[in-house]
Amino acid sequence: RQLFGGGFLHEINLDSPTQVQKAFAQRGVSLRSTSRWALAEYSEREDVRLFQEYRKASKLCSSFLDVLPQAIHPRTGRLHPTYEQCGVVSGRFSCHSPNLQQLPREKEFRACFVPEAGNCLVIADYSQIELRVAAELSQDRRMMAAYQQKQDLHTLTASLITQKNLEQVTKADRQASKAVNFGLLYGQGARGLKSYSKQSYGVDMTLEEAALFRERFFQAYRGISNWQRKTARESKRLTETRTFWGRRWLLEGHQPDLPTLLNMPVQGTAADITKLALAKLVPALTDTGARIIGCIHDEILLEAPLETAPQAASILTEMMETAGREVLKEVPVEAESRICRNWAEK
């Protein structure tokens, strides 16, 4: 507020996009909006960085810090969120009252979630599940071979887009390749990749670098490129799209954009695998005393007695990977379980 002070801005409402845009305009920054993507283009500026920090802190307070304590059940002392089976078009769970799927990953938040005395948390998630689904869906030979040979795909992509040998790839290169792998999967352009890499992975790319990485990615992964082109060509004629498991989304009366058409069968198949794993877990955990307490997209959380936690962890991994094998026939699916004292230890 001190930074934006002066005139009508002395009492600026930092939650008002109109006032914030005016404030930045007075400081020589013309924003098309105050969305995180628009702000990401100017994130090297101190005033934009400060506003981003305010926006994040405000969101954490209003959505979680102020809300979660009020949602604790007076009798059980627990949170009891509601999961909707088909709350999202892709088939992912949606969650509300409260929405724990959006809980920040910061340790300060997740460390607050602990088991009852005598118990521990058993947590597992799938490794790069959407990339694995996309590899098999597109029949991209290079990507499929990488997973079949247990290569690290992010390191491979980093090598391909930087044209370095695998052993020369740095941590920074690998971090940038994460943005490339996940960003380009659903049809981002160079400008979108530039913003996404900064916003989601803290990686600064010039527009020229983003365009070059994008070009090299699709040269390397021809199957992904062909799948995206084919989907774009057929988009006007499509009447439905399906996941590997057969669940379909009828497009009658809808004209979804290309990223949505690419996203649905991939994210939807990943959701099918997770739900199948959950169904298998219920009978498999019967003799362990463990129970399912949460599902955050491709992550499953159990609470288990200390003495049976190793057994529960083994079952969790086995059921998650078994579900993956039932849906994906050519690309291996991997999951890793951990025994934790709180959610932040995962």
Side-chain angles (χ1 to χ4, degrees), residues 27-51:
R27 299 179 62 80
V29 180
S30 179
L31 294 173
R32 63 183 184 274
S33 75
T34 61
S35 71
R36 62 176 183 164
W37 306 111
L39 290 167
E41 296 182 29
Y42 302 94
S43 57
E44 71 281 355
R45 290 177 57 106
E46 179 69 6
D47 49 4
V48 173
R49 184 186 64 77
L50 284 171
F51 179 69

Side-chain angles (χ1 to χ4, degrees), residues 121-196:
L121 300 181
V122 180
I123 307 172
D125 59 3
Y126 283 109
S127 169
Q128 302 172 14
I129 187 65
E130 291 187 20
L131 287 170
R132 292 173 188 269
V133 172
E136 186 159 326
L137 178 67
S138 66
Q139 287 293 291
D140 188 286
R141 292 300 163 188
R142 175 174 259 155
M143 198 174 283
M144 290 172 68
Y147 282 125
Q148 289 162 352
Q149 295 164 18
K150 296 187 178 297
Q151 280 185 282
D152 176 42
L153 190 73
H154 295 319
T155 301
L156 174 62
T157 298
S159 169
L160 293 168
I161 64 175
T162 62
Q163 296 189 339
K164 295 180 179 180
N165 293 329
L166 286 170
E167 59 272 13
Q168 295 175 315
V169 170
T170 65
K171 286 184 178 180
D173 294 332
R174 188 178 183 277
Q175 184 72 355
S177 79
K178 288 183 180 180
V180 172
N181 278 334
F182 291 119
L184 298 184
L185 192 59
Y186 301 127
Q188 274 184 349
R191 190 172 296 278
L193 175 60
K194 177 180 182 295
S195 296
Y196 176 72

Side-chain angles (χ1 to χ4, degrees), residues 30 36 49 93 134 150 175 207 218 247 255 257 279 314:
S30 179
R36 62 176 183 164
R49 184 186 64 77
F93 285 122
K150 296 187 178 297
Q175 184 72 355
L207 189 58
F218 287 118
R247 185 167 45 78
Q255 288 188 323
D257 57 18
S314 176

Side-chain angles (χ1 to χ4, degrees), residues 85 93 126 245 271-288 290-292 300 302 311-312 314-329 333:
Q85 275 277 14
F93 285 122
Y126 283 109
W245 200 240
D272 289 349
I273 291 171
T274 301
K275 291 180 179 182
L276 182 59
L278 289 167
K280 290 178 177 295
L281 272 170
V282 176
L285 292 171
T286 300
D287 297 329
T288 66
R291 54 182 171 174
I292 301 167
I300 298 175
L302 309 179
Q311 181 187 0
S314 176
I315 291 171
L316 178 56
T317 300
E318 181 185 356
M319 293 301 102
M320 290 176 72
E321 293 185 348
T322 298
R325 287 194 296 271
E326 288 191 21
V327 179
L328 299 188
K329 305 302 183 183
V333 172

